mmCIF file of all heavy atoms in Angstrom:
data_model
loop_
_atom_site.group_PDB
_atom_site.id
_atom_site.type_symbol
_atom_site.label_atom_id
_atom_site.label_comp_id
_atom_site.label_asym_id
_atom_site.label_seq_id
_atom_site.Cartn_x
_atom_site.Cartn_y
_atom_site.Cartn_z
ATOM 1 N N GLY A 26 -1.488 -17.463 27.395
ATOM 2 C CA GLY A 26 -0.949 -16.243 26.657
ATOM 3 C C GLY A 26 -1.974 -15.934 25.562
ATOM 4 O O GLY A 26 -3.137 -15.909 25.753
ATOM 5 N N ALA A 27 -1.418 -15.652 24.296
ATOM 6 C CA ALA A 27 -2.258 -15.133 23.229
ATOM 7 C C ALA A 27 -2.707 -16.284 22.311
ATOM 8 O O ALA A 27 -3.153 -15.954 21.099
ATOM 9 C CB ALA A 27 -1.457 -14.023 22.406
ATOM 10 N N LYS A 28 -2.688 -17.490 22.716
ATOM 11 C CA LYS A 28 -3.173 -18.620 21.979
ATOM 12 C C LYS A 28 -2.318 -18.837 20.700
ATOM 13 O O LYS A 28 -2.881 -19.233 19.706
ATOM 14 C CB LYS A 28 -4.604 -18.558 21.760
ATOM 15 C CG LYS A 28 -5.439 -18.470 23.003
ATOM 16 C CD LYS A 28 -7.029 -18.501 22.728
ATOM 17 C CE LYS A 28 -7.719 -18.463 24.062
ATOM 18 N NZ LYS A 28 -9.160 -18.576 23.767
ATOM 19 N N ILE A 29 -0.997 -18.650 20.767
ATOM 20 C CA ILE A 29 -0.129 -18.953 19.652
ATOM 21 C C ILE A 29 1.074 -19.570 20.193
ATOM 22 O O ILE A 29 1.637 -19.329 21.237
ATOM 23 C CB ILE A 29 0.160 -17.667 18.980
ATOM 24 C CG1 ILE A 29 1.076 -17.911 17.792
ATOM 25 C CG2 ILE A 29 0.903 -16.583 19.825
ATOM 26 C CD1 ILE A 29 1.223 -16.692 16.853
ATOM 27 N N PHE A 30 1.597 -20.617 19.374
ATOM 28 C CA PHE A 30 2.793 -21.404 19.760
ATOM 29 C C PHE A 30 3.917 -20.976 18.920
ATOM 30 O O PHE A 30 3.874 -21.293 17.784
ATOM 31 C CB PHE A 30 2.438 -22.874 19.711
ATOM 32 C CG PHE A 30 3.382 -23.778 20.455
ATOM 33 C CD1 PHE A 30 3.152 -24.251 21.667
ATOM 34 C CD2 PHE A 30 4.625 -24.093 19.870
ATOM 35 C CE1 PHE A 30 4.132 -25.010 22.428
ATOM 36 C CE2 PHE A 30 5.539 -24.940 20.483
ATOM 37 C CZ PHE A 30 5.263 -25.378 21.781
ATOM 38 N N PHE A 31 4.906 -20.322 19.518
ATOM 39 C CA PHE A 31 6.036 -19.868 18.657
ATOM 40 C C PHE A 31 7.219 -20.742 18.623
ATOM 41 O O PHE A 31 7.558 -21.480 19.598
ATOM 42 C CB PHE A 31 6.474 -18.492 19.258
ATOM 43 C CG PHE A 31 5.994 -17.317 18.466
ATOM 44 C CD1 PHE A 31 5.012 -16.523 19.052
ATOM 45 C CD2 PHE A 31 6.309 -17.164 17.172
ATOM 46 C CE1 PHE A 31 4.536 -15.429 18.315
ATOM 47 C CE2 PHE A 31 5.737 -15.975 16.463
ATOM 48 C CZ PHE A 31 4.817 -15.217 17.037
ATOM 49 N N HIS A 32 7.783 -20.785 17.452
ATOM 50 C CA HIS A 32 9.091 -21.510 17.284
ATOM 51 C C HIS A 32 10.182 -20.550 16.915
ATOM 52 O O HIS A 32 10.149 -19.982 15.772
ATOM 53 C CB HIS A 32 8.906 -22.507 15.977
ATOM 54 C CG HIS A 32 7.957 -23.539 16.078
ATOM 55 N ND1 HIS A 32 8.072 -24.568 17.006
ATOM 56 C CD2 HIS A 32 6.633 -23.620 15.658
ATOM 57 C CE1 HIS A 32 6.927 -25.419 17.046
ATOM 58 N NE2 HIS A 32 6.056 -24.820 16.166
ATOM 59 N N PRO A 33 11.127 -20.325 17.844
ATOM 60 C CA PRO A 33 12.161 -19.311 17.587
ATOM 61 C C PRO A 33 13.364 -20.051 16.901
ATOM 62 O O PRO A 33 13.517 -21.145 17.076
ATOM 63 C CB PRO A 33 12.467 -18.752 18.949
ATOM 64 C CG PRO A 33 12.246 -19.877 19.879
ATOM 65 C CD PRO A 33 11.008 -20.682 19.240
ATOM 66 N N TYR A 34 14.172 -19.199 16.226
ATOM 67 C CA TYR A 34 15.459 -19.775 15.608
ATOM 68 C C TYR A 34 15.339 -20.986 14.734
ATOM 69 O O TYR A 34 15.937 -21.980 14.961
ATOM 70 C CB TYR A 34 16.504 -20.014 16.829
ATOM 71 C CG TYR A 34 16.511 -18.855 17.834
ATOM 72 C CD1 TYR A 34 16.163 -19.025 19.106
ATOM 73 C CD2 TYR A 34 16.893 -17.579 17.399
ATOM 74 C CE1 TYR A 34 16.236 -17.985 20.083
ATOM 75 C CE2 TYR A 34 16.970 -16.615 18.395
ATOM 76 C CZ TYR A 34 16.690 -16.781 19.645
ATOM 77 O OH TYR A 34 16.687 -15.628 20.615
ATOM 78 N N VAL A 35 14.421 -20.890 13.843
ATOM 79 C CA VAL A 35 14.165 -21.999 12.952
ATOM 80 C C VAL A 35 14.946 -21.699 11.665
ATOM 81 O O VAL A 35 14.801 -20.638 11.108
ATOM 82 C CB VAL A 35 12.672 -22.198 12.650
ATOM 83 C CG1 VAL A 35 12.421 -23.318 11.496
ATOM 84 C CG2 VAL A 35 11.909 -22.517 13.921
ATOM 85 N N ASP A 36 15.751 -22.705 11.295
ATOM 86 C CA ASP A 36 16.417 -22.677 9.873
ATOM 87 C C ASP A 36 15.568 -23.015 8.798
ATOM 88 O O ASP A 36 15.101 -24.228 8.768
ATOM 89 C CB ASP A 36 17.771 -23.419 10.036
ATOM 90 C CG ASP A 36 18.790 -22.917 11.014
ATOM 91 O OD1 ASP A 36 18.802 -21.646 11.161
ATOM 92 O OD2 ASP A 36 19.455 -23.643 11.586
ATOM 93 N N LEU A 37 15.391 -22.210 7.811
ATOM 94 C CA LEU A 37 14.470 -22.532 6.704
ATOM 95 C C LEU A 37 15.165 -22.445 5.428
ATOM 96 O O LEU A 37 15.920 -21.408 5.166
ATOM 97 C CB LEU A 37 13.317 -21.658 6.823
ATOM 98 C CG LEU A 37 12.156 -21.972 5.718
ATOM 99 C CD1 LEU A 37 11.454 -23.178 6.051
ATOM 100 C CD2 LEU A 37 11.267 -20.742 5.613
ATOM 101 N N ASP A 38 15.105 -23.511 4.656
ATOM 102 C CA ASP A 38 15.852 -23.361 3.253
ATOM 103 C C ASP A 38 14.886 -22.664 2.352
ATOM 104 O O ASP A 38 13.717 -22.753 2.395
ATOM 105 C CB ASP A 38 16.012 -24.837 2.719
ATOM 106 C CG ASP A 38 17.013 -25.563 3.481
ATOM 107 O OD1 ASP A 38 17.948 -24.904 4.044
ATOM 108 O OD2 ASP A 38 16.994 -26.816 3.611
ATOM 109 N N ARG A 39 15.484 -21.713 1.672
ATOM 110 C CA ARG A 39 14.720 -20.984 0.760
ATOM 111 C C ARG A 39 15.568 -20.781 -0.623
ATOM 112 O O ARG A 39 16.719 -20.951 -0.651
ATOM 113 C CB ARG A 39 14.384 -19.562 1.195
ATOM 114 C CG ARG A 39 15.573 -18.762 1.474
ATOM 115 C CD ARG A 39 15.125 -17.417 2.197
ATOM 116 N NE ARG A 39 16.392 -16.548 2.527
ATOM 117 C CZ ARG A 39 17.021 -15.704 1.683
ATOM 118 N NH1 ARG A 39 16.591 -15.629 0.447
ATOM 119 N NH2 ARG A 39 18.064 -15.081 2.118
ATOM 120 N N LYS A 40 14.876 -20.476 -1.747
ATOM 121 C CA LYS A 40 15.538 -20.216 -2.916
ATOM 122 C C LYS A 40 15.766 -18.704 -3.175
ATOM 123 O O LYS A 40 14.922 -17.795 -2.827
ATOM 124 C CB LYS A 40 14.650 -20.665 -4.149
ATOM 125 C CG LYS A 40 14.632 -22.112 -4.151
ATOM 126 C CD LYS A 40 13.784 -22.644 -5.313
ATOM 127 C CE LYS A 40 12.391 -22.266 -5.323
ATOM 128 N NZ LYS A 40 11.635 -22.732 -6.586
ATOM 129 N N THR A 41 16.991 -18.372 -3.692
ATOM 130 C CA THR A 41 17.276 -17.051 -3.985
ATOM 131 C C THR A 41 17.776 -16.932 -5.389
ATOM 132 O O THR A 41 18.126 -17.962 -5.986
ATOM 133 C CB THR A 41 18.436 -16.490 -3.143
ATOM 134 O OG1 THR A 41 19.600 -17.212 -3.346
ATOM 135 C CG2 THR A 41 18.072 -16.619 -1.620
ATOM 136 N N THR A 42 17.466 -15.707 -5.979
ATOM 137 C CA THR A 42 17.981 -15.590 -7.324
ATOM 138 C C THR A 42 19.479 -15.307 -7.299
ATOM 139 O O THR A 42 20.073 -15.136 -6.336
ATOM 140 C CB THR A 42 17.259 -14.261 -7.978
ATOM 141 O OG1 THR A 42 17.726 -13.135 -7.255
ATOM 142 C CG2 THR A 42 15.754 -14.466 -7.921
ATOM 143 N N SER A 43 20.075 -15.193 -8.555
ATOM 144 C CA SER A 43 21.488 -14.987 -8.574
ATOM 145 C C SER A 43 21.925 -13.675 -8.032
ATOM 146 O O SER A 43 22.998 -13.359 -7.729
ATOM 147 C CB SER A 43 21.948 -15.012 -10.086
ATOM 148 O OG SER A 43 21.215 -14.038 -10.872
ATOM 149 N N THR A 44 20.917 -12.716 -7.946
ATOM 150 C CA THR A 44 21.154 -11.395 -7.331
ATOM 151 C C THR A 44 21.013 -11.396 -5.817
ATOM 152 O O THR A 44 21.277 -10.422 -5.238
ATOM 153 C CB THR A 44 20.180 -10.347 -7.926
ATOM 154 O OG1 THR A 44 18.852 -10.756 -7.610
ATOM 155 C CG2 THR A 44 20.303 -10.244 -9.381
ATOM 156 N N GLY A 45 20.543 -12.477 -5.272
ATOM 157 C CA GLY A 45 20.524 -12.617 -3.840
ATOM 158 C C GLY A 45 19.118 -12.350 -3.265
ATOM 159 O O GLY A 45 18.920 -12.461 -2.111
ATOM 160 N N SER A 46 18.062 -12.077 -4.124
ATOM 161 C CA SER A 46 16.740 -11.700 -3.576
ATOM 162 C C SER A 46 16.003 -13.097 -3.420
ATOM 163 O O SER A 46 16.171 -14.024 -4.118
ATOM 164 C CB SER A 46 15.980 -10.899 -4.621
ATOM 165 O OG SER A 46 15.877 -11.449 -5.861
ATOM 166 N N ALA A 47 15.055 -13.020 -2.356
ATOM 167 C CA ALA A 47 14.445 -14.275 -2.054
ATOM 168 C C ALA A 47 13.284 -14.558 -2.951
ATOM 169 O O ALA A 47 12.595 -13.580 -3.401
ATOM 170 C CB ALA A 47 13.951 -14.262 -0.622
ATOM 171 N N ASP A 48 13.153 -15.842 -3.327
ATOM 172 C CA ASP A 48 11.988 -16.188 -4.093
ATOM 173 C C ASP A 48 10.877 -16.522 -3.133
ATOM 174 O O ASP A 48 11.038 -16.625 -1.961
ATOM 175 C CB ASP A 48 12.336 -17.525 -4.945
ATOM 176 C CG ASP A 48 11.332 -17.783 -6.010
ATOM 177 O OD1 ASP A 48 10.559 -16.893 -6.267
ATOM 178 O OD2 ASP A 48 11.288 -18.969 -6.391
ATOM 179 N N ASP A 49 9.684 -16.612 -3.651
ATOM 180 C CA ASP A 49 8.513 -16.969 -2.891
ATOM 181 C C ASP A 49 8.630 -18.230 -2.169
ATOM 182 O O ASP A 49 9.034 -19.277 -2.745
ATOM 183 C CB ASP A 49 7.337 -17.048 -3.739
ATOM 184 C CG ASP A 49 5.941 -17.227 -3.101
ATOM 185 O OD1 ASP A 49 5.997 -17.393 -1.885
ATOM 186 O OD2 ASP A 49 5.001 -17.126 -3.736
ATOM 187 N N LEU A 50 8.485 -18.218 -0.805
ATOM 188 C CA LEU A 50 8.625 -19.415 -0.053
ATOM 189 C C LEU A 50 7.752 -20.532 -0.507
ATOM 190 O O LEU A 50 8.039 -21.733 -0.099
ATOM 191 C CB LEU A 50 8.496 -19.072 1.467
ATOM 192 C CG LEU A 50 9.533 -18.060 2.083
ATOM 193 C CD1 LEU A 50 9.158 -17.763 3.427
ATOM 194 C CD2 LEU A 50 10.924 -18.720 2.037
ATOM 195 N N GLY A 51 6.660 -20.270 -1.034
ATOM 196 C CA GLY A 51 5.625 -21.292 -1.289
ATOM 197 C C GLY A 51 5.687 -21.662 -2.768
ATOM 198 O O GLY A 51 4.903 -22.453 -3.193
ATOM 199 N N SER A 52 6.714 -21.212 -3.530
ATOM 200 C CA SER A 52 6.770 -21.601 -4.890
ATOM 201 C C SER A 52 7.268 -23.060 -5.102
ATOM 202 O O SER A 52 7.851 -23.650 -4.217
ATOM 203 C CB SER A 52 7.773 -20.598 -5.593
ATOM 204 O OG SER A 52 9.017 -20.750 -5.114
ATOM 205 N N ASN A 53 6.999 -23.560 -6.277
ATOM 206 C CA ASN A 53 7.346 -24.940 -6.604
ATOM 207 C C ASN A 53 8.789 -24.998 -6.928
ATOM 208 O O ASN A 53 9.485 -23.992 -7.295
ATOM 209 C CB ASN A 53 6.512 -25.426 -7.779
ATOM 210 C CG ASN A 53 5.046 -25.620 -7.429
ATOM 211 O OD1 ASN A 53 4.629 -25.865 -6.329
ATOM 212 N ND2 ASN A 53 4.115 -25.134 -8.374
ATOM 213 N N GLU A 54 9.419 -26.244 -6.845
ATOM 214 C CA GLU A 54 10.785 -26.406 -7.263
ATOM 215 C C GLU A 54 11.030 -26.047 -8.664
ATOM 216 O O GLU A 54 10.230 -26.361 -9.523
ATOM 217 C CB GLU A 54 11.197 -27.890 -6.918
ATOM 218 C CG GLU A 54 11.220 -28.225 -5.533
ATOM 219 C CD GLU A 54 12.289 -27.507 -4.649
ATOM 220 O OE1 GLU A 54 13.308 -27.083 -5.348
ATOM 221 O OE2 GLU A 54 12.088 -27.270 -3.521
ATOM 222 N N ARG A 55 12.174 -25.386 -8.970
ATOM 223 C CA ARG A 55 12.550 -25.102 -10.267
ATOM 224 C C ARG A 55 13.939 -25.474 -10.537
ATOM 225 O O ARG A 55 14.702 -25.537 -9.628
ATOM 226 C CB ARG A 55 12.387 -23.500 -10.461
ATOM 227 C CG ARG A 55 11.038 -22.998 -10.282
ATOM 228 C CD ARG A 55 10.908 -21.462 -10.361
ATOM 229 N NE ARG A 55 11.434 -20.942 -11.654
ATOM 230 C CZ ARG A 55 11.402 -19.699 -12.023
ATOM 231 N NH1 ARG A 55 10.806 -18.812 -11.296
ATOM 232 N NH2 ARG A 55 11.979 -19.284 -13.175
#
Side-chain angles (χ1 to χ4, degrees):
K28 299 187 177 182
I29 182 169
F30 196 96
F31 261 109
H32 299 288
Y34 312 118
V35 173
D36 291 327
L37 183 71
D38 291 332
R39 62 183 176 87
K40 289 185 294 182
T41 63
T42 64
S43 56
T44 60
S46 60
D48 191 18
D49 185 355
L50 293 175
S52 61
N53 295 323
E54 291 295 330
R55 296 175 58 171

